């Protein structure tokens, strides 16, 4: 009998949601950085284990909307928790509950969602007796079905998560191919690889104002007969001054981003990759409904 369970992974920025999704799926399906708002859309990570298919919906970190793009990201979170069998609230155990968790708890109550609380980063808490107080603080927000102190980084108690989630599986056909780890189109995933390298190579606000599109992808052979993928990448930024920073002195930053992105793509394709990158300016694109839709970042 086939079963499936849809799981919304929610929480504030930098709580470790994407790292958890990658760990549970067993493959990298979501990009990771220390910067908030790394995840912009819902990403489905898929794990098929025996008869049960787990679908983890990695959502953007809940935050206060400052642009139209932010509004779409928040709408994505609400849409994601409204129709799942169970949700995960991922929190940083070193931080106290704040307005973000309160807003998520209100959304859970509105939808009547069963929620598992994961207290991440417990490895950073030296006095383990403090964990009981942390659990008490968060328990005042919502009637959680399960509370598990974990560390994604050190894989503490992470083996307890899947068996608990499986209790919520319902009889149904599998919605995705059993051997696929995600439903993301390949070009979207490749664009996300490049954006991750921008986030991890640059600082301050510039990475948040960038979007990436894969304009072309062709499989061919080199003069020596080796397989190669030719990929055309466009990085979009909001200001002319940002373009110069992304390119860097004598192209140094763009070369760095391109090099580490190409290396990951070559590992993904298991063959050589030739990548050409262009940087274009689209003034204030994060407040343009048309461009947000063009870049595939609207909540729908």
């Amino acid at each position: 009998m086939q079963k499936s369970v849809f799981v919304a992974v929610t929480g504030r920025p930098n709580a470790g949601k994407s790292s958890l999704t990658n760990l549970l799926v067993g493959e990298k399906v979501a990009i990771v950085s220390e910067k908030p708002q790394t995840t912009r859309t819902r990403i489905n990570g898929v794990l098929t284990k025996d008869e049960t298919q787990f679908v983890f919906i990695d959502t953007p970190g809940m935050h206060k909307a400052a642009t139209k793009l932010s509004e779409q990201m928040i709408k994505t979170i609400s849409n994601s928790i409204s129709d799942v069998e169970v949700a995960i609230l991922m929190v940083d155990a070193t931080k106290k509950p704040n307005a973000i968790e309160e807003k998520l708890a209100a959304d859970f109550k509105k939808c009547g969602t069963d929620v598992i609380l994961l207290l991440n980063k417990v490895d950073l808490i030296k006095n383990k007796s403090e964990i009981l107080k942390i659990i008490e603080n968060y328990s005042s927000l919502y009637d959680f079905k399960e509370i598990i102190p974990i560390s994604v980084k050190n894989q503490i108690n992470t083996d307890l998560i899947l068996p608990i989630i499986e209790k919520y599986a319902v009889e149904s056909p599998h919605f995705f191919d059993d051997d696929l780890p995600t439903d993301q189109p390949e070009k979207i995933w490749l664009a996300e690889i490049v954006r991750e390298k921008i986030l991890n190579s640059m600082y301050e606000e510039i990475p948040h104002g960038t979007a990436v599109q894969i304009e072309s992808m062709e499989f061919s052979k080199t003069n020596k007969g080796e397989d190669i993928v030719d990929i055309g990448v466009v990085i979009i930024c909001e200001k002319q001054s940002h373009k110069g920073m992304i390119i860097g002195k004598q192209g140094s930053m763009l070369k760095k981003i391109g090099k580490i992105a190409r290396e990951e793509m070559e590992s993904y394709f298991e063959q050589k990759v030739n990548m050409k990158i262009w940087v274009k300016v689209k003034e204030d694109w994060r407040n343009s409904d048309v461009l947000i839709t063009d870049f595939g970042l609207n909540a729908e």
Side-chain angles (χ1 to χ4, degrees):
M1 179 183 71
Q2 288 192 335
K3 297 186 292 181
S4 66
V5 55
F6 280 73
V7 189
V9 184
T10 70
R12 72 171 79 174
N14 291 345
K17 300 181 298 299
S18 295
S19 295
L20 176 73
T21 300
N22 291 339
L23 177 66
L24 295 178
V25 172
E27 290 190 38
K28 182 177 177 180
V29 296
I31 65 171
V32 177
S33 89
E34 294 182 355
K35 294 183 174 66
Q37 300 174 39
T38 296
T39 301
R40 285 175 169 170
T41 59
R42 61 180 276 168
I43 296 168
N44 292 334
V46 183
L47 171 67
T48 305
K49 195 174 181 182
D50 300 323
E51 293 300 306
T52 304
Q53 185 167 84
F54 301 81
V55 183
F56 300 97
I57 304 168
D58 183 18
T59 65
M62 178 63 85
H63 59 284
K64 186 176 180 180
T67 64
K68 287 188 176 181
L69 175 60
S70 296
E71 291 171 4
Q72 291 296 321
M73 290 163 67
I74 291 170
K75 192 181 293 184
T76 294
I77 301 168
S78 299
N79 291 349
S80 296
I81 67 175
S82 64
D83 192 27
V84 293
E85 278 72 47
V86 64
I88 286 172
L89 175 58
M90 188 94 166
V91 304
D92 183 337
T94 67
K95 297 178 179 177
K96 293 181 179 180
N98 68 4
I100 291 175
E101 281 90 12
E102 290 172 4
K103 172 67 170 66
L104 284 166
D107 288 345
F108 295 145
K109 288 173 185 173
K110 185 177 178 182
C111 298
T113 309
D114 287 340
V115 184
I116 299 165
L117 176 66
L118 298 184
L119 298 170
N120 192 26
K121 306 182 184 180
V122 293
D123 53 303
L124 301 179
I125 299 174
K126 293 178 181 178
N127 184 358
K128 300 306 178 187
S129 63
E130 292 179 9
I131 294 176
L132 290 175
K133 179 63 177 176
I134 295 166
I135 289 173
E136 190 178 309
N137 287 340
Y138 279 99
S139 295
S140 65
L141 295 178
Y142 196 72
D143 183 16
F144 296 105
K145 296 299 181 183
E146 302 276 354
I147 299 175
I148 313 174
I150 68 165
S151 167
V152 174
K153 182 179 179 181
N154 295 333
Q155 297 190 25
I156 297 171
N157 291 338
T158 52
D159 59 324
L160 303 177
I161 300 170
L162 279 181
I164 290 172
I165 291 172
E166 192 163 16
K167 295 176 185 177
Y168 294 90
V170 295
E171 183 178 350
S172 80
H174 293 171
F175 290 85
F176 305 98
D177 290 345
D178 287 359
D179 58 347
L180 286 182
T182 182
D183 64 340
Q184 283 188 99
E186 192 167 59
K187 283 188 176 182
I188 297 294
W189 172 237
L190 296 175
E192 283 289 270
I193 289 174
V194 176
R195 192 167 68 86
E196 179 186 59
K197 307 319 173 195
I198 298 170
L199 286 165
N200 291 332
S201 299
M202 302 191 71
Y203 304 96
E204 306 305 331
E205 284 299 310
I206 294 168
H208 296 305
T210 58
V212 180
Q213 288 187 301
I214 303 297
E215 285 212 329
S216 63
M217 184 168 67
E218 294 182 4
F219 294 84
S220 59
K221 290 187 180 293
T222 66
N223 294 334
K224 295 181 179 179
E226 296 175 307
D227 291 330
I228 191 168
V229 190
D230 291 300
I231 299 175
V233 180
V234 175
I235 298 172
I236 295 97
C237 59
E238 291 184 302
K239 297 179 181 179
Q240 195 67 35
S241 60
H242 291 179
K243 179 178 179 178
M245 293 177 189
I246 293 168
I247 293 172
K249 188 175 181 180
Q250 296 180 327
S252 58
M253 180 56 71
L254 197 59
K255 287 175 184 175
K256 177 184 177 182
I257 292 166
K259 180 178 181 292
I260 53 179
R262 179 175 50 77
E263 287 171 352
E264 183 162 338
M265 289 182 187
E266 288 182 336
S267 176
Y268 170 77
F269 284 112
E270 296 183 339
Q271 63 189 71
K272 286 187 174 182
V273 168
N274 176 47
M275 186 164 51
K276 292 183 179 178
I277 309 178
W278 294 269
V279 183
K280 296 182 179 179
V281 179
K282 299 281 186 182
E283 294 278 350
D284 200 28
W285 69 264
R286 285 183 292 176
N287 280 309
S288 166
D289 290 326
V290 172
L291 291 176
I292 288 169
T293 301
D294 284 351
F295 297 157
L297 298 173
N298 60 338
E300 306 307 317

